[in-house]
Amino acid sequence: MLADDTPNRVLEFEAVRTAAEALVSLNRHYFALGILQRAAELNRSDLRCRQLEAIALGRTGRQEEAREKLNRLT
């Protein structure tokens, strides 16, 4: 919700990434994937978001996709 009120893209991205980290830590992986998709639209190259996406994919039973994402990171 806070990300909708940000004055610029940098702050919006930080808010979205923080929300994604919180959702992953709360085991809300399906919601985190939606937020991480929004983060990717703002900044595709952020390493932490890509890691969080792989974690969320793995924990939602999409291990093959998670493995592919992690392989691309390395």
Side-chain angles (χ1 to χ4, degrees):
M1 187 162 142
L2 291 174
D4 291 332
D5 297 329
T6 56
N8 66 41
R9 291 179 64 86
V10 173
L11 291 178
E12 180 180 1
F13 175 73
E14 290 298 323
V16 170
R17 183 171 58 186
T18 299
E21 287 179 335
L23 288 167
V24 168
S25 71
L26 292 170
N27 293 320
R28 302 290 188 242
H29 302 103
Y30 289 104
F31 293 116
L33 287 171
I35 295 296
L36 288 162
Q37 182 178 17
R38 184 169 172 187
E41 292 170 3
L42 296 168
N43 183 353
R44 286 222 182 266
S45 64
D46 185 71
L47 179 63
R48 181 63 181 147
C49 284
R50 294 171 70 190
Q51 291 169 334
L52 288 169
E53 182 181 19
I55 291 167
L57 284 168
R59 293 187 180 162
T60 58
R62 296 162 61 181
Q63 284 83 14
E64 188 60 37
E65 287 178 73
R67 200 171 295 117
E68 289 175 22
K69 297 269 184 193
L70 290 173
N71 283 337
R72 280 188 236 140
L73 288 176
T74 59

